[in-house]
Amino acid sequence: MSAAWNPRASEEGETPPRPELSNWGRWGEDDEAGAANLLSPEVLLAALTLPRSGEVVQLSQVIGDPKAPRNGAPPQHFMLHDAGDYLAGAKAPSGFQTAVDHLSWATHGSVTHLDALGHVWYDDQMFNGYDHRAARSNGLRRLGIDKAPPFIGRGVLIDIAKTKGVTRLDPGYEVTAADIEEALQSAGEALQAGDCVLIRTGWITAWESDDVRYHGDRPGIGLDAAEYLARHDVALVGADNSGVEVIPWAPGTVCPVHQFLIRDCGIYLLEFLDLEELSRRDATAFLFIASPLRIRGGTGSPIAPVAVL
Amino acid sequence: MSAAWNPRASEEGETPPRPELSNWGRWGEDDEAGAANLLSPEVLLAALTLPRSGEVVQLSQVIGDPKAPRNGAPPQHFMLHDAGDYLAGAKAPSGFQTAVDHLSWATHGSVTHLDALGHVWYDDQMFNGYDHRAARSNGLRRLGIDKAPPFIGRGVLIDIAKTKGVTRLDPGYEVTAADIEEALQSAGEALQAGDCVLIRTGWITAWESDDVRYHGDRPGIGLDAAEYLARHDVALVGADNSGVEVIPWAPGTVCPVHQFLIRDCGIYLLEFLDLEELSRRDATAFLFIASPLRIRGGTGSPIAPVAVL
Amino acid sequence: MSAAWNPRASEEGETPPRPELSNWGRWGEDDEAGAANLLSPEVLLAALTLPRSGEVVQLSQVIGDPKAPRNGAPPQHFMLHDAGDYLAGAKAPSGFQTAVDHLSWATHGSVTHLDALGHVWYDDQMFNGYDHRAARSNGLRRLGIDKAPPFIGRGVLIDIAKTKGVTRLDPGYEVTAADIEEALQSAGEALQAGDCVLIRTGWITAWESDDVRYHGDRPGIGLDAAEYLARHDVALVGADNSGVEVIPWAPGTVCPVHQFLIRDCGIYLLEFLDLEELSRRDATAFLFIASPLRIRGGTGSPIAPVAVL
Amino acid sequence: MSAAWNPRASEEGETPPRPELSNWGRWGEDDEAGAANLLSPEVLLAALTLPRSGEVVQLSQVIGDPKAPRNGAPPQHFMLHDAGDYLAGAKAPSGFQTAVDHLSWATHGSVTHLDALGHVWYDDQMFNGYDHRAARSNGLRRLGIDKAPPFIGRGVLIDIAKTKGVTRLDPGYEVTAADIEEALQSAGEALQAGDCVLIRTGWITAWESDDVRYHGDRPGIGLDAAEYLARHDVALVGADNSGVEVIPWAPGTVCPVHQFLIRDCGIYLLEFLDLEELSRRDATAFLFIASPLRIRGGTGSPIAPVAVL
């Protein structure tokens, strides 16, 4: 970890991210998968034994649903051919009729997505010390989302909103390490290396009531919680908000949780989740599956993660 | 199944698709998931017990890789911000640096994708009898890809190319029911209801050697094999070519396998797979996972399926 | 004009659009250019004699300028290659350096544009009696913007806001025939056949002060003014708002001015103009030039019209 | 002009571009319009007197026409709503029916377009000495196409193919200063400052016969002709090929004509013209009009230029 950087530099008396939490070099000098390395075959095989009912809960938002939160312009869905064309006279050769479409969207703005490790950095260096000049107009030459393997492992729901007894946490509420411990204790779970941790803030429900409210201050994790999760060697941190971390950031910092988890630790962030159904079912630990599209040099991928109970 | 339709009408003496193979009404009048209903919790739980090594094999092509086959214009990957911008003077507030992107592509032309059940039809009726007028310029009102659940079940590799001892099957080679049985026998497997069947033709290697060759006649399954698979109640049929079925089609027909499997049987097609690694590993039956993006009214979804061995 | 249609049907005592204002068949059964036929060589040559100073005033909004009004998502401008790439290490073969881009936008939502005659219709018939089934997923087979010739003729500024002594007209203000006559009289001009008429409401300034205000009730012309302009055989009606016509529409009607001018009369609408500079210069009659992109089957075209004074 | 640069450095005995042809600083240190400054009101007013017949000839290719040459993927034209939707049951409120669309294309690849002065450069400096770091992921901060004014002036057709008595020039044929003089003499014309010069090679007809042939060696102007045109102070050079200049380039150079005309001289290039009709009419000098879309920071603009005879 760069000695020069301190996401909390402006806060006197705060401890900077500890060098021992950095994962640079841990999986080799040429590694581009980061904490996904924690999802070993053993971790995977153990996770496969978790399901009891075989029920599947989808954790992604519906793309194109006006009720699904997003950040920026909505996804674009163009139909290239549809039934109307046949009604208007298009021929159906040998009876064959078809509808086909085209998709266009900003990865980080409009859909449930997994961040690539090359999505954010500071001091001109990305995770594992890669030079940031890898990020060019034709994509990421290092740490693109095509370097992220499928995530198949143990998922753990950290249901902060439920623990606090609210529909959703307050705007600007910072989820702390203590909050996470409280939620785990309440669920009777403990974190394990390689876990895929899903933080439920309930913030997805803010979209329904007020768009403007949604994009202002919002609940999420802060550096304290991020360090706690990094110390427990999780592979992935997801949340039901637009960027996992709390807004406002600590004074003098911009996206400190992204900077720390992605760039220092190589831990993946999964954003715009829908955790409502999982919460309704009182899920705690489960088989978690998230397979990113293999987009060459992509800064992230739209994704459809699931929990198997 | 519509009595009026016969994808082999022009071939004298041929048997039309048998009405008993139609799955209309089988899972209820309002069903939009089709053969995915076969992936019951029991089927899923049984599939979770298959993996021995915990190794994961990715089955999708790399999006944007010029060596990956496609049909039409390549996927578009636009970088909205990258490291070059910082080098050119863009500010990094509080040290935060980021790369973000935008994607644009035709679902059925340029990426590994799962077809929605509303993707094809004939006689103005889609699977389960839905009126084709559901397919409009703003998407599918019925049978969109958002109605397809995640596929988590048993995958079976039908490695025709390996059984025949070739790198890839010949252009225009029709994979038959007998071929499938031969491959199964050789692998010591038998089909089960709810299986996700992956047909390996080796055709993906034709792209490397010749683009023009790739889009001409090609190997794939014909109606004979499709009926065999439908009779065995598979949930999904994937292949390592651009449309699962053999080209040329039987005289007087257009996409007869699409018409039969999707529209009559509600069985899903998965296209542009890369099955080379799976074949190298001599995989036969395994845990198969494919979770489509929940695109509201989409005619299909880019997807990153995996096999767990 | 269809006898069955009456955009004012719900207003008792109102006169329906008079059949004599319809231009169907006027320029031949196969005509697709409509009132652009009025821009004869004679009209063009006469217009070329109007300029005195040779000064050019641009009438389009700047695409991508956040201060430019739009309706919907902003235009997308993707850079495919830029200077940052060279700074990040891209080679410049033989010294050659380049920046290239990609554009993506909705014609009618985000840019100054000319409507094609096939953009709107009613009773399943387009201008000149063309069957609406010409409008399919691959574009307009009739009356596409590629059938609209370049407009080079006399432009006349109808500066209603200036005549009324206001920065902009009130929301919902309906510009009437009397208003147009008053503005013309004040400018000492009279309409001629083939004129390209530009209506200034000042509404473009509403965007600067309030986005929400911009898209609510707004000033524009109503059917009374539209009929007046049609009676004077203008070729084109432009305005500095998002749709030329006043909102709210008369009760029981939707876009009645579009329906009447485009579908009944074949008169072109030009939207999202910036007429502020033209007004500041007290322009009245001038050489007007607007050359639409020849988009095969397009429902309209982004355009950069100019006035030469 | 940079002393260090020499697009012909590898050709012994060749004269490098002369510093006196550079237009840096000529129209002021802050100028971003370059040779468009030559289109003075006087030049414009004189050009308005040229037309005799008032006939308009369109010089752009039809966008989306498969017979129109392009370089790369075809333009994308998505219909957002069309007649088929009404036929499939969409409501037409108060009778209103509409078709709307969305466009997506690469500026330099797929349409008739005008290059911005910031499109190409060398030695990290753009025209007029602007630092190339102006070219970032959000567009050109200097020399974008929004800085190019409408071109309204004298157009001159340099019909090399006709002068040589061929349908189209041979692949790799370099149009020279002598060729231009020959064509001018044959047409009885002489160049004037501010002229918009259109070079006809006939290469557009190569697309019809062979796509592969189109993108290989092709006729166009070389540096000799470019210097001749620069010396005559033309404002714009257009051609009926994909990049104005001859391919192959002189050994050791890449796009030398682009580098010289755009970066050194601030002279505009107009590409993918269709000059066939203009040639058929034996046009020589005429009123030329080309009004680029005002795309903020654009590297070029799709455009629909016309000649008025």
Side-chain angles (χ1 to χ4, degrees):
Chain A
M1 187 163 22
S2 164
W5 181 75
N6 179 357
R8 289 174 162 179
S10 64
E11 296 177 55
E12 278 184 25
E14 293 270 329
T15 310
R18 301 180 213 166
E20 73 268 26
L21 293 180
S22 164
N23 283 325
W24 288 27
R26 178 171 173 187
W27 297 287
E29 221 173 57
D30 294 336
D31 175 62
E32 302 187 49
N37 284 290
L38 296 166
L39 288 157
S40 64
E42 295 69 34
V43 164
L44 184 155
L45 289 172
L48 295 186
T49 67
L50 294 172
R52 290 289 165 265
S53 70
E55 289 171 317
V56 177
V57 179
Q58 300 187 69
L59 306 178
S60 58
Q61 300 179 167
V62 175
I63 297 173
D65 182 351
K67 286 183 291 187
R70 54 184 166 75
N71 181 10
Q76 294 173 313
H77 180 212
F78 305 114
M79 292 288 274
L80 304 176
H81 199 266
D82 56 46
D85 296 314
Y86 298 109
L87 294 164
K91 302 289 181 214
S94 297
F96 181 69
Q97 297 175 295
T98 186
V100 290
D101 53 14
H102 184 108
L103 305 168
S104 182
W105 57 52
T107 312
H108 297 275
S110 51
V111 293
T112 302
H113 66 276
L114 181 72
D115 287 352
L117 292 186
H119 170 44
V120 303
W121 67 92
Y122 60 86
D123 282 352
D124 298 350
Q125 281 188 299
M126 296 172 162
F127 171 71
N128 215 14
Y130 286 111
D131 188 312
H132 75 141
R133 287 178 293 186
R136 304 190 189 173
S137 291
N138 56 358
L140 298 173
R141 294 169 173 232
R142 290 291 181 282
L143 303 173
I145 197 66
D146 49 327
K147 308 297 171 52
F151 289 77
I152 306 174
R154 192 173 88 121
V156 177
L157 178 65
I158 312 278
D159 197 336
I160 308 291
K162 180 180 284 180
T163 310
K164 302 294 185 190
V166 297
T167 301
R168 62 171 172 265
L169 301 173
D170 285 337
Y173 181 87
E174 178 182 338
V175 174
T176 62
D179 288 336
I180 292 175
E181 289 203 322
E182 178 189 22
L184 284 169
Q185 198 160 21
S186 153
E189 292 291 343
L191 291 183
Q192 300 172 6
D195 274 352
C196 297
V197 170
L198 309 183
I199 310 284
R200 181 169 169 268
T201 66
W203 194 243
I204 193 174
T205 64
W207 179 268
E208 293 178 309
S209 51
D210 189 351
D211 183 0
V212 173
R213 171 186 303 172
Y214 185 85
H215 288 302
D217 287 355
R218 73 201 70 164
I221 69 171
L223 268 183
D224 177 62
E227 289 178 27
Y228 176 89
L229 294 169
R231 201 172 299 118
H232 284 79
D233 252 354
V234 304
L236 174 150
V237 183
D240 58 345
N241 58 16
S242 74
V244 177
E245 62 187 300
V246 63
I247 303 272
W249 307 304
T253 71
V254 170
C255 291
V257 169
H258 273 70
Q259 298 203 24
F260 172 66
L261 286 181
I262 292 181
R263 191 269 198 185
D264 293 345
C265 307
I267 293 174
Y268 289 81
L269 296 187
L270 179 55
E271 300 169 354
F272 282 123
L273 288 174
D274 183 342
L275 302 173
E276 296 304 287
E277 176 68 12
L278 208 51
S279 176
R280 268 190 293 273
R281 294 190 184 217
D282 289 319
T284 53
F286 39 84
L287 170 59
F288 173 80
I289 300 169
S291 183
L293 300 181
R294 303 173 74 191
I295 303 159
R296 189 183 171 114
T299 71
S301 171
I303 200 163
V306 299
V308 186
L309 310 185
Chain B
M1 187 162 20
S2 164
W5 182 74
N6 179 357
R8 288 173 161 182
S10 63
E11 297 177 55
E12 277 185 28
E14 293 269 330
T15 310
R18 304 181 210 164
E20 73 268 25
L21 293 179
S22 163
N23 283 325
W24 288 26
R26 177 171 173 186
W27 298 286
E29 220 174 59
D30 295 336
D31 175 62
E32 301 187 50
N37 284 290
L38 296 166
L39 289 157
S40 65
E42 294 70 34
V43 164
L44 184 156
L45 289 171
L48 295 185
T49 67
L50 293 173
R52 289 291 166 262
S53 69
E55 289 171 316
V56 177
V57 178
Q58 301 187 67
L59 307 178
S60 58
Q61 300 180 167
V62 175
I63 298 173
D65 182 350
K67 286 183 292 186
R70 53 183 167 75
N71 181 9
Q76 294 173 314
H77 180 212
F78 305 115
M79 292 289 274
L80 303 176
H81 199 266
D82 55 45
D85 296 315
Y86 298 110
L87 293 164
K91 302 289 181 213
S94 297
F96 181 69
Q97 298 175 295
T98 185
V100 290
D101 53 15
H102 183 109
L103 305 168
S104 182
W105 58 50
T107 312
H108 297 275
S110 51
V111 293
T112 302
H113 66 276
L114 181 72
D115 286 352
L117 293 186
H119 170 45
V120 302
W121 66 92
Y122 58 88
D123 282 351
D124 299 350
Q125 280 188 298
M126 296 171 160
F127 172 71
N128 215 13
Y130 286 111
D131 188 313
H132 75 140
R133 287 178 293 187
R136 303 190 190 173
S137 290
N138 57 358
L140 298 173
R141 296 171 172 229
R142 290 292 180 280
L143 302 174
I145 198 65
D146 49 326
K147 308 297 172 50
F151 289 76
I152 306 173
R154 192 173 88 120
V156 177
L157 178 64
I158 312 279
D159 198 337
I160 308 289
K162 178 179 284 179
T163 310
K164 301 293 186 190
V166 297
T167 300
R168 62 172 173 265
L169 300 173
D170 286 337
Y173 182 87
E174 178 182 336
V175 173
T176 62
D179 289 335
I180 292 176
E181 289 203 323
E182 178 190 21
L184 285 169
Q185 198 160 19
S186 153
E189 292 291 341
L191 291 183
Q192 300 172 5
D195 274 352
C196 297
V197 170
L198 310 182
I199 310 283
R200 180 168 170 268
T201 66
W203 194 243
I204 193 173
T205 64
W207 180 268
E208 294 177 308
S209 51
D210 189 351
D211 184 0
V212 173
R213 170 185 304 173
Y214 185 84
H215 288 303
D217 286 355
R218 73 201 68 165
I221 68 171
L223 267 182
D224 177 61
E227 289 178 28
Y228 176 89
L229 294 168
R231 202 172 298 118
H232 283 80
D233 252 353
V234 304
L236 174 150
V237 183
D240 58 347
N241 58 17
S242 74
V244 177
E245 62 187 298
V246 63
I247 303 274
W249 306 304
T253 72
V254 170
C255 291
V257 169
H258 273 68
Q259 298 202 25
F260 172 66
L261 287 181
I262 292 181
R263 192 268 199 183
D264 293 345
C265 307
I267 294 174
Y268 289 80
L269 296 187
L270 179 55
E271 301 169 354
F272 282 123
L273 288 173
D274 182 342
L275 302 174
E276 296 304 288
E277 176 67 12
L278 208 51
S279 177
R280 270 190 292 273
R281 294 191 183 217
D282 288 319
T284 52
F286 40 83
L287 170 60
F288 173 79
I289 299 170
S291 183
L293 301 180
R294 303 173 74 191
I295 303 159
R296 188 183 172 114
T299 70
S301 171
I303 200 162
V306 300
V308 186
L309 309 185
Chain C
M1 188 161 23
S2 163
W5 182 74
N6 178 357
R8 288 173 162 179
S10 64
E11 297 178 54
E12 277 186 26
E14 293 268 330
T15 310
R18 301 179 213 168
E20 74 266 25
L21 292 180
S22 162
N23 283 325
W24 289 26
R26 179 172 172 185
W27 297 287
E29 221 172 57
D30 295 335
D31 176 61
E32 300 186 52
N37 285 289
L38 296 166
L39 288 158
S40 64
E42 295 71 34
V43 163
L44 184 156
L45 289 171
L48 296 186
T49 67
L50 293 172
R52 290 290 165 264
S53 70
E55 289 171 317
V56 177
V57 178
Q58 300 186 69
L59 307 178
S60 59
Q61 300 179 168
V62 175
I63 297 173
D65 183 352
K67 286 183 293 189
R70 53 184 167 75
N71 181 9
Q76 294 173 314
H77 180 211
F78 304 115
M79 292 289 274
L80 303 177
H81 199 266
D82 55 46
D85 295 313
Y86 297 110
L87 293 164
K91 302 290 181 211
S94 298
F96 182 69
Q97 297 175 297
T98 185
V100 290
D101 53 13
H102 184 108
L103 306 168
S104 182
W105 57 52
T107 313
H108 297 275
S110 52
V111 292
T112 303
H113 66 276
L114 181 72
D115 286 352
L117 292 186
H119 170 44
V120 303
W121 66 91
Y122 59 87
D123 281 353
D124 299 349
Q125 280 188 298
M126 296 173 161
F127 172 70
N128 215 15
Y130 286 110
D131 188 312
H132 75 141
R133 287 179 292 187
R136 303 190 191 173
S137 290
N138 57 356
L140 298 173
R141 294 169 173 232
R142 290 292 181 282
L143 302 173
I145 199 64
D146 50 325
K147 306 300 171 49
F151 289 77
I152 307 174
R154 192 172 89 121
V156 177
L157 178 65
I158 312 277
D159 198 336
I160 307 290
K162 180 179 282 179
T163 311
K164 302 295 186 187
V166 297
T167 300
R168 62 171 173 264
L169 300 174
D170 286 337
Y173 182 87
E174 178 182 338
V175 173
T176 62
D179 289 335
I180 293 176
E181 289 203 321
E182 179 190 23
L184 284 169
Q185 198 159 21
S186 155
E189 291 291 343
L191 290 183
Q192 300 171 6
D195 275 351
C196 296
V197 170
L198 310 182
I199 310 283
R200 181 170 169 267
T201 66
W203 194 242
I204 193 174
T205 65
W207 180 268
E208 294 178 307
S209 50
D210 190 350
D211 183 1
V212 173
R213 172 186 303 172
Y214 184 84
H215 288 302
D217 286 356
R218 72 201 70 164
I221 68 171
L223 267 184
D224 177 62
E227 290 178 28
Y228 176 88
L229 294 168
R231 203 173 296 118
H232 284 80
D233 252 353
V234 303
L236 174 151
V237 182
D240 58 347
N241 58 17
S242 74
V244 177
E245 62 187 298
V246 63
I247 304 270
W249 306 304
T253 71
V254 170
C255 291
V257 168
H258 273 69
Q259 299 203 24
F260 173 65
L261 287 181
I262 292 180
R263 191 270 197 182
D264 293 345
C265 307
I267 293 174
Y268 288 81
L269 296 187
L270 180 56
E271 299 170 355
F272 281 123
L273 289 173
D274 183 343
L275 302 173
E276 296 305 286
E277 176 67 10
L278 207 52
S279 177
R280 270 191 292 276
R281 294 191 184 216
D282 289 319
T284 53
F286 42 83
L287 171 59
F288 173 80
I289 299 169
S291 183
L293 301 180
R294 302 172 73 190
I295 303 159
R296 189 182 170 115
T299 71
S301 171
I303 200 163
V306 299
V308 186
L309 309 185
Chain D
M1 187 161 24
S2 163
W5 182 74
N6 179 356
R8 287 174 162 180
S10 63
E11 298 177 54
E12 278 186 26
E14 293 268 332
T15 310
R18 302 179 212 165
E20 73 267 26
L21 292 180
S22 163
N23 283 325
W24 287 27
R26 177 171 172 186
W27 297 288
E29 222 173 55
D30 295 335
D31 176 61
E32 300 186 52
N37 285 289
L38 297 166
L39 288 158
S40 64
E42 295 71 34
V43 163
L44 183 156
L45 290 171
L48 296 185
T49 67
L50 293 172
R52 289 292 165 263
S53 70
E55 288 170 317
V56 177
V57 178
Q58 301 187 68
L59 307 178
S60 58
Q61 300 179 169
V62 175
I63 298 172
D65 183 352
K67 287 183 292 187
R70 53 184 167 75
N71 181 8
Q76 294 173 314
H77 179 212
F78 304 114
M79 293 289 274
L80 304 177
H81 199 265
D82 55 45
D85 296 314
Y86 298 109
L87 293 164
K91 302 291 181 208
S94 297
F96 181 69
Q97 297 175 296
T98 186
V100 290
D101 53 15
H102 183 108
L103 305 169
S104 182
W105 57 51
T107 312
H108 297 275
S110 52
V111 293
T112 303
H113 66 276
L114 182 71
D115 286 351
L117 292 186
H119 170 45
V120 302
W121 66 92
Y122 60 87
D123 281 353
D124 298 350
Q125 280 188 298
M126 296 173 162
F127 172 71
N128 215 13
Y130 286 110
D131 188 311
H132 75 142
R133 287 179 292 188
R136 303 189 190 173
S137 290
N138 56 358
L140 298 173
R141 294 171 173 231
R142 290 291 181 281
L143 302 173
I145 198 65
D146 49 326
K147 307 299 171 51
F151 289 77
I152 307 173
R154 193 173 87 122
V156 177
L157 178 65
I158 312 278
D159 197 336
I160 308 289
K162 180 179 284 179
T163 310
K164 301 294 186 189
V166 298
T167 301
R168 61 172 173 264
L169 300 173
D170 285 338
Y173 182 87
E174 177 183 339
V175 174
T176 62
D179 288 335
I180 293 176
E181 287 202 322
E182 179 189 22
L184 284 169
Q185 200 160 19
S186 154
E189 292 290 344
L191 290 183
Q192 300 172 6
D195 275 352
C196 296
V197 170
L198 310 182
I199 310 283
R200 181 169 169 269
T201 66
W203 194 243
I204 193 174
T205 64
W207 180 268
E208 294 177 308
S209 50
D210 189 351
D211 184 0
V212 173
R213 170 185 302 171
Y214 185 84
H215 288 303
D217 286 356
R218 71 202 70 164
I221 68 172
L223 267 184
D224 176 63
E227 289 179 28
Y228 175 89
L229 294 169
R231 201 173 298 117
H232 283 80
D233 252 354
V234 304
L236 174 151
V237 182
D240 58 346
N241 58 17
S242 74
V244 177
E245 61 187 298
V246 64
I247 303 271
W249 306 305
T253 71
V254 170
C255 291
V257 169
H258 273 70
Q259 298 203 24
F260 172 65
L261 287 181
I262 291 181
R263 191 269 197 182
D264 294 344
C265 306
I267 293 174
Y268 289 81
L269 295 187
L270 180 54
E271 300 170 355
F272 282 122
L273 289 173
D274 183 342
L275 302 173
E276 296 304 287
E277 176 68 10
L278 208 52
S279 177
R280 271 191 290 275
R281 294 190 184 218
D282 290 318
T284 53
F286 41 82
L287 171 59
F288 173 80
I289 299 169
S291 184
L293 300 181
R294 303 173 73 190
I295 302 159
R296 189 182 172 117
T299 70
S301 171
I303 200 162
V306 299
V308 185
L309 311 184

